[in-house]
Amino acid sequence: MWTHSGPGDPIGKEIRVDGIPYTIAGVGARLGKMFGQSEDNWVAVPLSTYQQTYGYNDSVMSMRAQAAMRQRMTRAEDE
């Protein structure tokens, strides 16, 4: 996650992750620390972008999905 601490709006600005440029589309809320580890050190990218960048055989450390309604969860899982 890119924590905004400077002046101005970060949306639309560039950040580099592993030297690869990404455009900031949103900023997550600060979560702080748990067991002495920062919970704020993350970025979210579309899965297809991750796979194109790192390959299809690399593992994804974390993935979360949520459907707006319980009835739509099966469709969301399929997608």
Side-chain angles (χ1 to χ4, degrees), residues 4-74:
H4 179 60
S5 59
D9 186 3
I11 306 302
K13 294 189 176 155
E14 184 179 282
I15 184 175
R16 291 185 173 267
V17 178
D18 290 338
I20 301 164
Y22 293 93
T23 301
I24 298 171
V27 179
R30 290 178 192 244
L31 300 174
K33 291 184 177 183
M34 180 180 287
F35 305 115
Q37 296 282 347
S38 174
E39 295 288 304
D40 297 326
N41 190 16
W42 59 273
V43 295
V45 297
L47 181 58
S48 59
T49 300
Y50 178 90
Q51 290 173 324
Q52 288 173 359
T53 303
Y54 297 102
Y56 291 82
N57 294 323
D58 286 349
S59 65
V60 176
M61 294 179 74
S62 176
M63 196 160 128
R64 183 185 316 188
Q66 180 176 344
M69 297 173 62
R70 181 174 289 221
Q71 295 84 353
R72 295 182 185 166
M73 191 61 194
T74 301

